[in-house]
Amino acid sequence: MNIPTWAWFVTIAAFLAVIAFDFYLVARNPRDPSMRESTIWVIVYVSLSIAFGLGVLAVAGPQYGGEFFAGWITEYSLSVDNLFVFVLIMSKFAVPRDYRQKVLLIGIVLALVLRGIFIALGAEAISRFDWMFYLFGAFLIWTAWKLIKEADGDEEFEENRLLRFVERVVPSTNQYNGAKMTTVVDGRRLVTPMLIVMVAIGTTDLLFAVDSIPAIFGLTQEPYLVFTANAFALMGLRQLFFLIGGLLDRLIYLSKGLALILAFIGVKLILEAMHHHGVAWAPEIPILVSLAVIVGTLAVTTVLSLMKSRRDAAAATTSGDELTGPKHHTSGN
């Protein structure tokens, strides 16, 4: 794809406009959104993503259109997995429910900026060193193995180095001051936990990007598609947090499904790199095959997760009834 500079500026300006409007809505009326409101906004953001993908399909052709959809679905799926950690962060810092939207929005904006830098560095590295595809592929396979190995473990939030540095260096208090990021205590200007949580979400998402950015470069090497797929995946993440918050615990096989997707993309990267280096037996995997594998894996994973959760709930109910025992009624004469 040959994307002119003005198209980049227009795209970034459009994303900034949406973020500004979103921030205005959140700042005007901070609250815990209803299920209906969250559903509507998720539908809006998904529709915008699909409309953009159809636009790429119409303008650039099915190859690039398929690459965008494969990349967006993969990034969106990995972002859903990130929500598990976001829930842990919110709980750890005891964020008031009315201000969770603002925390998520600013944290996601920070994550988008950091991802943009990461994408630019990744694109430059790939353009200069084609052996990076072998490195990316091996890394994704290793990440997939690690995900499967740790899928049954209890997940906990561990503060990263940047977050620990901010907490150590920046004067802070453990008391919230509404949605403000700073407060004055005894004449001193201190940072509230609100800013710390935003940094936690933004930097934690960047750590997740270490997996997801190589994954999307395995589906498309077009920086424009990589950036827009990431942006659309992150944009609706705030509303998705409130929409499926109660569903996260039921998606018990999600990590395994994502591991299979990452392993598939890793193998795809290595095979295609070998093909480009003259290995005759190494195939190039069409983007439609990749898209089918990604969508199919996510669909099967979701269905199996919900079925397992339903069986576990039924078993727990039955067990509870057995422990309670039959109720005996006595009647007086």
Side-chain angles (χ1 to χ4, degrees), residues 70-206:
W72 169 63
I73 292 172
T74 299
E75 293 297 322
Y76 207 44
S77 306
L78 292 169
S79 295
V80 171
D81 198 36
N82 298 357
L83 292 182
F84 285 98
V85 180
F86 289 176
V87 170
L88 296 176
I89 292 174
M90 295 288 189
S91 300
K92 176 180 174 62
F93 291 96
V95 180
R97 299 188 67 86
D98 288 347
Y99 303 119
R100 289 185 175 187
Q101 288 203 81
K102 182 176 181 179
V103 169
L104 283 169
L105 180 59
I106 296 181
I108 287 169
V109 170
L110 177 60
L112 185 57
V113 172
L114 295 175
R115 283 197 183 204
I117 297 172
F118 198 34
I119 289 169
L121 294 175
E124 182 65 20
I126 287 174
S127 66
R128 291 177 177 269
F129 311 107
D130 56 1
W131 52 264
M132 289 291 294
F133 287 109
Y134 294 107
L135 181 62
F136 280 2
F139 177 75
L140 289 176
I141 294 172
W142 176 80
T143 302
W145 175 82
K146 187 178 177 183
L147 266 178
I148 292 176
K149 183 180 177 182
E150 298 175 354
D152 296 327
D154 293 330
E155 193 169 8
E156 295 182 1
F157 170 67
E158 297 181 1
E159 297 183 356
N160 56 64
R161 292 182 181 179
L162 178 58
L163 181 58
R164 290 197 297 268
F165 174 78
V166 171
E167 291 179 314
R168 186 172 64 252
V169 173
V170 178
S172 60
T173 176
N174 58 2
Q175 298 297 319
Y176 285 93
N177 182 21
K180 296 180 180 179
M181 290 181 283
T182 62
T183 187
V184 177
V185 178
D186 297 330
R188 294 182 63 203
R189 175 71 64 177
L190 302 176
V191 166
T192 69
M194 189 68 67
L195 178 62
I196 303 299
V197 177
M198 292 173 183
V199 173
I201 289 178
T203 54
T204 300
D205 182 84
L206 182 62

